[in-house]
Amino acid sequence: ANDIFAGYADPIRGLSHITMVFPNRRARLFFDEYLSQRSDRPVWSPSYMTIAELFESQSTLETADQFKLVSTLYRIYCEEMHSDETIDSFWNWGELMLNDFDDIDRNLADADGLFACLQNHKEIAGQSFLSDEQTEILKSFFNGFNGRKTDLKEKYINVWNSIGRIYHRFRENLKSSGIAYEGMMQREVVTNLDTDAFSDRMFAFVGFNSLNKAEKMLFHKLKESGKAIFYWDYDKSYIEDSTMEAGLFMRDNLEEFPNRISPEHFDNLRKQKQLTIIETSSDSSQAHYISTWLDSLGQKPDKDTAIVLSDSGLLQSVLHSIPDGKAEDVNITMGFPLSSIPLQGFVSAYLDIQRMLQKNSGRLTIGHI
């Protein structure tokens, strides 16, 4: 916030010509707070986007929901495979196929090369994008199809030989409807991106780590046009040690897209720390100990106090362990499994009863329950 304000605040426009691009929406709340502390007078704030919203803003397509995508894929799959498979049995397989298509487009891969016919597996093994190890794995895998033919092998071969047509038909169908999955949208945007359309707007990309090829291409095009700056979150302790996996992606990011902030601000993990370890007999005991720990702080916990759980199922126990009046506002930033709420048991029992009624022509006995 200090660097953005010092380097880009305009007396008239303030920061209205800046677009902050974060991985998610939550970061905006913290950034706004620090930015307000930096200025002694009202200023126009920057605009905010997630990376997904930035791609969508540059596309003529809209992101479709999962139900619409899998349903469309199911219809095309049945037509191509001449299959009467039910959508229930297809759903999980359809989600996997959709994820594969999404990965292909996010990484700008040659789909036709990936979906080459099984009979041409030697051609697949010779593709330049495959490592020697991957080539050997493919050869070993395809050699398993040279033996006795089975129904399962035949079905697999048919699916593999048709998946390229399914992929292209699926994309064409979505495009004609004005919708897309995220990977398809990203590919369409970076392929047709006109950086001149951004006028004098500057984009600040903040807090990213692992980037797919579409995101990297977007970053490169905006950087080359002088319309992008980058802020990376890392620590020197694992960046300078090439054996540390934590810095695997960040080392490349820092080289390709230099950080606006100098490295001396990122040497924190090696500083002296105070750690207290409490032994408990169970996870539940850990949750109940939180009230004692909060009391030991000697003051009300604030936004710099974090409780990090190893299991999301402990969330309710932790919330009940916070003493009344100890914390006025609690910011929960994690998901909570549906299976952990009492309503799930009721819904599950209700569905079991409905299945039993259907199976037994509307009759239900105590024995069934």
Side-chain angles (χ1 to χ4, degrees):
N2 288 338
D3 186 76
I4 285 283
F5 191 87
Y8 293 95
D10 183 90
I12 299 176
R13 295 187 297 172
L15 293 170
S16 61
H17 60 296
I18 302 290
T19 295
M20 306 297 301
V21 184
F22 295 114
N24 55 62
R25 291 190 179 96
R26 283 192 64 251
R28 171 182 177 175
L29 301 175
F30 296 94
F31 183 81
D32 266 343
E33 181 178 348
Y34 291 120
L35 193 61
S36 65
Q37 296 172 6
R38 183 64 178 80
S39 178
D40 58 357
R41 59 184 177 82
V43 294
W44 292 107
S45 70
S47 57
Y48 298 92
M49 286 185 174
T50 64
I51 188 68
E53 289 170 341
L54 175 57
F55 274 108
E56 191 161 2
S57 71
Q58 301 303 311
S59 175
T60 57
L61 307 174
E62 295 183 1
T63 305
D65 61 76
Q66 189 84 347
F67 183 83
K68 174 67 174 177
L69 292 171
V70 179
S71 299
T72 303
L73 183 57
Y74 166 72
R75 178 174 55 79
I76 294 172
Y77 171 85
C78 289
E79 292 174 359
E80 286 291 335
M81 299 300 300
H82 307 289
S83 171
D84 57 357
E85 184 174 354
T86 66
I87 193 169
D88 289 346
S89 62
F90 173 81
W91 196 267
N92 287 339
W93 161 235
E95 288 184 322
L96 288 173
M97 191 185 296
L98 179 60
N99 288 337
D100 287 342
F101 292 170
D102 191 60
D103 284 340
I104 288 169
D105 286 337
R106 285 177 186 269
N107 290 287
L108 309 180
D110 176 9
D112 291 325
L114 285 172
F115 297 143
C117 292
L118 187 64
Q119 290 88 338
N120 297 330
H121 62 269
K122 291 182 180 178
E123 178 184 340
I124 297 175
Q127 292 294 325
S128 59
F129 56 78
L130 296 174
S131 66
D132 292 340
E133 182 182 3
Q134 290 170 326
T135 299
E136 289 303 317
I137 292 173
L138 275 176
K139 286 180 179 178
S140 174
F141 174 77
F142 286 125
N143 284 338
F145 283 85
N146 293 333
R148 183 175 60 87
K149 290 291 183 71
T150 65
D151 290 342
L152 182 61
K153 286 182 179 180
E154 287 291 339
K155 184 175 181 181
Y156 183 88
I157 292 171
N158 289 337
V159 171
W160 187 272
N161 289 341
S162 302
I163 199 167
R165 295 193 301 273
I166 294 172
Y167 168 80
H168 288 296
R169 279 195 59 191
F170 181 52
R171 284 171 49 88
E172 290 167 3
N173 186 286
L174 294 180
K175 191 171 183 178
S176 65
S177 301
I179 57 177
Y181 50 88
E182 285 194 8
M184 175 181 169
M185 179 178 292
Q186 290 186 5
R187 187 170 201 152
E188 184 253 355
V189 167
V190 297
T191 302
N192 304 303
L193 185 66
D194 179 13
T195 56
D196 292 336
F198 291 114
S199 185
D200 61 346
R201 180 156 293 278
M202 178 68 72
F203 292 85
F205 295 93
V206 185
F208 290 87
N209 193 320
S210 173
L211 303 173
N212 61 49
K213 289 188 177 180
E215 291 168 341
K216 277 194 174 185
M217 183 176 288
L218 174 69
F219 285 16
H220 274 296
K221 286 189 174 183
L222 290 175
K223 174 191 169 187
E224 291 165 3
S225 64
K227 296 175 181 178
I229 53 178
F230 305 92
Y231 294 89
W232 304 104
D233 183 20
Y234 64 94
D235 193 89
K236 291 173 67 176
S237 62
Y238 57 76
I239 291 295
E240 294 174 352
D241 185 351
S242 60
T243 64
M244 295 285 284
E245 289 187 21
L248 179 63
F249 301 111
M250 194 57 66
R251 283 187 282 270
D252 290 338
N253 293 340
L254 289 169
E255 184 176 346
E256 293 185 59
F257 314 103
N259 202 355
R260 275 276 303 181
I261 301 177
S262 55
E264 63 264 20
H265 295 283
F266 298 90
D267 194 8
N268 296 299
L269 292 183
R270 290 182 286 208
K271 292 180 179 178
Q272 187 67 31
K273 308 167 191 65
Q274 180 181 346
L275 302 176
T276 303
I277 299 175
I278 308 296
E279 183 179 6
T280 62
S281 59
S282 66
D283 288 346
S284 179
S285 299
Q286 292 182 38
H288 290 301
Y289 180 77
I290 286 175
S291 61
T292 304
W293 173 68
L294 291 175
D295 287 333
S296 70
L297 298 178
Q299 59 184 9
K300 280 190 174 183
D302 57 19
K303 62 187 178 185
D304 293 326
T305 302
I307 300 173
V308 184
L309 306 183
S310 60
D311 180 2
S312 59
L314 292 172
L315 181 60
Q316 284 187 319
S317 297
V318 169
L319 292 177
H320 289 307
S321 298
I322 298 176
D324 292 338
K326 197 65 178 179
E328 296 178 0
D329 298 303
V330 178
N331 184 17
I332 302 172
T333 61
M334 62 186 297
F336 187 70
L338 185 65
S339 59
S340 297
I341 66 173
L343 180 62
Q344 192 273 342
F346 168 76
V347 173
S348 179
Y350 176 78
L351 292 176
D352 286 342
I353 291 174
Q354 293 300 316
R355 281 192 288 267
M356 195 64 69
L357 287 170
Q358 186 177 20
K359 183 178 179 181
N360 294 281
S361 304
R363 295 190 303 274
L364 185 67
T365 66
I366 299 297
H368 289 147
I369 297 177

